Each structure stands twice: as C-alpha cells, then as structure tokens.
Amino acid sequence: MRTVKSVREYQDCRDDINKGSTGFIPTMGALHRGHQSLIEASIRDCDVTVVSIYVNPTQFNNADDLDNYPDTLEQDISLLKSMGVDYLFLPSYEDIYPDKYRYMIEEGEFSRQLCGSHREGHFTGVMTIVMKLLNIIRPSAAYFGEKDFQQFQLIREMVEAFFMDVRIVPCPTIRETDGLALSSRNLNLDAGSRKKASLIHELILSETTDVQINGQLTQAGFDVDYVETHGGRRYAAATIGNDNKQVRLIDNVAIGG
Ligand code: PAF
C-alpha cells in the first residue's frame, strides 16, 4: 500500500492510478467492520482501491466531539495493508483547506432536517469535504455506509446536481450481534451506555409510533435529538453517556415493507 500525504503528490500519480476503475472509500479513521465492508465491496468491483483518512473539522459542530474523536491510525494502517488496499490518502488541514473554508457546498432543504437540524453546518462540512476528495481522487465509484443514510442521500444528490462522473454506492449497515450499528464513536461508550445502546435499533424496528419511541428512549436515559419517519425509513439520533463522555448515536431502518 502506498501512502500519499499531499494533494499535489496524489494529483501527480492520479493518471497512473486511474488507468482502470478506481474505488474510493472516504473515512475519518478508527476503522471498524463497517468500513471493512465498504473496502471489500470496492476491492470486489474495482481494479484499484483508495481509502482516505481525514478527520474533517468543518463537519463537527461541537468541539468536544472533535477532541474525543477516536484516533487509531497505526491500527488502521495495518488493517488497510492486510486487506490489500492500494493507496491511502492522508492529507493535512492546510492541504485540504488552502482557502481556510471560505468556499463550501450548501444544500437548502434536506441538509437542514434530521441531523442537520441538530448539528448546524454539519452537512455543509460533509458535502464540502466529499466534493474536495472526489475532485482530488476522481474515482469511478465511491462507497458510503447506509448507517449515515441522510449523508449518503445528500452525497448522491450532490453528485447528480453537479453532473459529477462518479457512481455513489450504498452499502448495508453492519451491526453488533445485539443490533447496535457499528460506528467509530462506539469506542467511547462506557460499559453501562454500551449495554443500553442497542435499544435504539430495537425500538426503531418496533411497531410503535415515533413519539412513543422518543419517550421510551428518554425514559431509558437517552437525550433524544429525533425519532422521525420519512419516505418509508425511520431515523433516530440520541446521546448517551456519563459526565465524562457523551456519545451521540444515529441509526435508521427501512420500515413498512
Ligand atoms: O462518514 C464519514 O466518516 C464522514 O462523514 C466522511 C464521509 C468521511 C466525510 O468526512
């Protein structure tokens, strides 16, 4: 695996990399089985697989969340090598934001709902970094997990809106045996919160109403941002934890056939 640390270096070797089909998996590191499933899909579909690790500050609306974001770079690199990834793109803030985030991608509707209505500017940060990464890597396909379904939808629509020549491929959510959706943030759950965390998935699958589920999660000790159903999919976001560490969890499931 070759590690490329600057935009210029990547652009210099891009024509060689993109001779055949290139699959791209953007990540913020702390890789888990969910990321592995995206990488496996790319290795299966494409000639070359590129992974980026970049903890993108512009998508964090909360400084504590950014400070506490898990960093497991050494382990991540070993995993990527063992999986047969061809390139790791590992840029710096200065490289990615030479404009100091003066230019951004803004969407005026769906990005303001669900997570967007609780995390100001989050999706503007996500769409901006994904646009930048897609422009640098120029892959044939990019892979996104359905755990972040709103993110996946916004990126798919952004690519369509800007006539970008890349296939956006959704991959199913990978879960622990008790149903908890895999997420890098799960590493920050204390033992008590980890036990309760699977309740989100259990409840959003149940036949009760969004309002009732919100009440049940609140009663169990979650601070609930939303439980909402849109277009045959139920979405939830809630925070759990102790005074030291709070972890925000999101999940979604297709409902009603
Ligand atoms: O889903 C993530 O990990 C991030 O939002 C992404 C797509 C890598 C952009 O920073």
Side-chain angles (χ1 to χ4, degrees), residues 13-254:
C13 54
R14 185 173 57 207
D15 284 351
D16 279 341
I17 298 173
N18 287 354
K19 278 198 177 115
S21 58
T22 299
F24 175 50
I25 300 96
T27 82
M28 299 205 294
L31 303 179
H32 51 67
R33 281 187 288 119
H35 297 110
Q36 283 184 52
S37 72
L38 309 182
I39 294 167
E40 279 159 11
S42 168
I43 290 176
R44 205 170 44 234
D45 295 352
C46 303
D47 298 320
V48 171
T49 291
V50 181
V51 173
S52 65
I53 298 183
Y54 178 66
V55 182
N56 173 41
T58 66
Q59 70 187 75
F60 286 83
N61 59 318
N62 173 329
D64 281 349
D65 191 22
L66 176 58
D67 289 346
N68 289 329
Y69 202 81
D71 175 353
T72 58
L73 186 60
E74 291 309 310
Q75 256 170 265
D76 293 348
I77 291 176
S78 310
L79 176 75
L80 297 176
K81 282 185 182 158
S82 74
M83 291 190 74
V85 166
D86 301 287
Y87 290 87
L88 167 62
F89 182 52
L90 202 61
S92 66
Y93 178 85
E94 288 69 29
D95 234 351
I96 290 290
Y97 291 107
D99 63 332
K100 300 202 167 51
Y101 199 41
R102 270 197 312 130
Y103 288 88
M104 36 190 106
I105 300 289
E106 188 126 353
E107 189 274 350
E109 283 176 30
F110 193 43
S111 67
R112 301 186 180 172
Q113 297 171 28
L114 299 168
C115 279
S117 69
H118 294 269
R119 302 184 68 189
E120 212 193 323
H122 168 65
F123 286 118
T124 300
V126 169
M127 288 186 289
T128 304
I129 184 64
V130 172
M131 172 69 90
K132 284 175 183 261
L133 291 169
L134 292 177
N135 283 335
I136 297 164
I137 309 294
R138 297 198 196 155
S140 346
Y143 295 79
F144 292 87
E146 289 186 345
K147 200 235 346 149
D148 299 290
F149 204 85
Q150 189 180 11
Q151 166 175 284
F152 152 69
Q153 277 177 297
L154 283 164
I155 289 168
R156 187 179 51 187
E157 287 168 18
M158 173 185 82
V159 158
E160 259 173 46
F162 288 93
F163 310 106
M164 294 168 76
D165 200 7
V166 54
R167 208 156 41 87
I168 300 298
V169 184
C171 298
T173 304
I174 306 294
R175 300 182 179 280
E176 302 284 5
T177 43
D178 66 357
L180 174 66
L182 293 196
S183 161
S184 304
R185 289 185 175 83
N186 294 354
L187 289 173
N188 289 337
L189 287 167
D190 61 76
S193 304
R194 170 63 192 84
K195 263 197 182 153
K196 286 184 185 171
S198 60
L199 192 61
I200 299 182
H201 180 239
E202 187 186 320
L203 289 176
I204 59 176
L205 278 176
S206 69
E207 301 220 332
T208 37
T209 65
D210 294 349
V211 173
Q212 281 169 321
I213 295 170
N214 191 320
Q216 284 167 300
L217 287 172
T218 306
Q219 233 176 20
F222 289 85
D223 183 6
V224 180
D225 277 353
Y226 60 80
V227 178
E228 285 178 37
T229 300
H230 296 270
R233 191 165 286 271
R234 184 179 265 159
Y235 301 81
T239 300
I240 186 105
N242 54 36
D243 290 345
N244 288 332
K245 234 172 224 179
Q246 297 281 315
V247 181
R248 187 172 183 277
L249 302 168
I250 62 172
D251 204 346
N252 70 85
V253 289

